[in-house]
Amino acid sequence: MTTLRGRRLHLFDLDGTLIRGSAAAVEISRQLGLSEEIQQLEQDFLLRELAPDEFAVRAHALWADLTPQHVTAAFEGAPWLAGIREVWAEIRAEGSHCAVISLSPDFFVERLLDWGLDAAHGSRWPAVPFIEPIHRPGILDASAKVRIAADLCARFGVDAADCVAYGDSMSDAELFAIVPETVAVNADHHLADLARHRYTGGDLREAYALVRKSAA
């Protein structure tokens, strides 16, 4: 095994990146029979610049009947990239760290801790089943990814120059702007043009290999 020079912090997006061609909200809605409704909400988010906190409020209303069993089924049935656990195990074995930062609900994102993450950050949602409303300040946006990345750098004792970011959409652009090593994973040209590496496919091990090759 070739070891990367020095410790690094690998920062992964979730929707469209680790989950290929889908998102946590889509997979949750599928379990509730609300695929068309969430598709419209996603379009409003992408095309009409619906704010992340407003998206969350509307999704919360859609998911009034959500149960922990729905969340488990959505997580287990999502189209994950192959090799995620293997990549994270390799990163940690060499003394580096890996984290996920996502705008998706924390009750979904934090399940990835069982796969070998050092940290998982999602938007703060009320516990499932819902009794409480959305607390808008707890919903993350693109700028929050930069702030959380800085906090993680301090936690793990690394600099931004030691980070690698993996993402697929313009919500990752602000993070890509401050991190030297970036990988656009199944991304359109808007983010791909900002990335050092570009990967299209279904296996995180192949995307990670691009980073390893450049560091060798």
Side-chain angles (χ1 to χ4, degrees), residues 105-120:
D106 54 358
F107 60 74
F108 190 96
V109 178
E110 290 175 0
R111 288 172 175 252
L112 288 168
L113 290 169
D114 291 337
W115 288 15
L117 274 182
D118 292 294

Side-chain angles (χ1 to χ4, degrees), residues 9 11 101 144-154 163 175 178:
L9 173 58
L11 302 166
I101 308 174
K145 289 192 171 189
V146 175
R147 172 179 55 79
I148 292 170
D151 291 343
L152 289 170
C153 284
C163 291
L175 184 57
I178 65 166

Side-chain angles (χ1 to χ4, degrees), residues 172-185:
D172 302 301
E174 290 186 41
L175 184 57
F176 272 37
I178 65 166
V179 173
E181 192 81 356
T182 53
V183 187
V185 180

Side-chain angles (χ1 to χ4, degrees), residues 64-122:
D65 297 326
L66 187 64
T67 67
Q69 291 75 24
H70 288 128
V71 178
T72 297
F75 185 88
E76 293 179 352
W80 299 99
L81 293 183
I84 294 174
R85 292 177 181 85
E86 292 85 348
V87 167
W88 292 349
E90 188 169 336
I91 288 171
R92 297 182 73 181
E94 65 190 13
S96 292
H97 303 282
C98 47
V100 168
I101 308 174
S102 172
L103 276 57
S104 285
D106 54 358
F107 60 74
F108 190 96
V109 178
E110 290 175 0
R111 288 172 175 252
L112 288 168
L113 290 169
D114 291 337
W115 288 15
L117 274 182
D118 292 294
H121 290 267

Side-chain angles (χ1 to χ4, degrees), residues 122-190:
S123 293
R124 293 196 303 274
W125 276 60
V128 178
F130 299 137
I131 298 174
E132 300 175 353
I134 289 289
H135 180 56
R136 288 179 184 262
I139 302 304
L140 303 184
D141 58 16
S143 296
K145 289 192 171 189
V146 175
R147 172 179 55 79
I148 292 170
D151 291 343
L152 289 170
C153 284
R155 172 182 169 184
F156 295 120
V158 298
D159 297 324
D162 302 314
C163 291
V164 184
Y166 306 75
D168 77 301
S169 70
M170 288 305 292
S171 68
D172 302 301
E174 290 186 41
L175 184 57
F176 272 37
I178 65 166
V179 173
E181 192 81 356
T182 53
V183 187
V185 180
N186 295 317
D188 65 21
H189 69 90
H190 297 293

Side-chain angles (χ1 to χ4, degrees), residues 13-96:
D13 174 54
L14 176 69
D15 299 328
T17 302
L18 296 177
I19 300 178
R20 186 179 185 185
S22 190
V26 172
E27 298 304 315
I28 291 168
S29 298
R30 192 191 317 278
Q31 296 299 321
L32 294 165
L34 296 169
S35 294
E36 292 184 6
E37 290 83 350
I38 202 65
Q39 182 179 8
Q40 181 59 56
L41 193 55
E42 290 273 358
Q43 288 178 346
D44 289 344
F45 179 69
L46 295 172
L47 302 179
R48 301 180 185 177
E49 299 184 350
L50 187 70
D53 62 339
E54 182 61 25
F55 179 97
V57 168
R58 297 188 190 185
H60 179 272
L62 275 180
W63 299 343
D65 297 326
L66 187 64
T67 67
Q69 291 75 24
H70 288 128
V71 178
T72 297
F75 185 88
E76 293 179 352
W80 299 99
L81 293 183
I84 294 174
R85 292 177 181 85
E86 292 85 348
V87 167
W88 292 349
E90 188 169 336
I91 288 171
R92 297 182 73 181
E94 65 190 13
S96 292

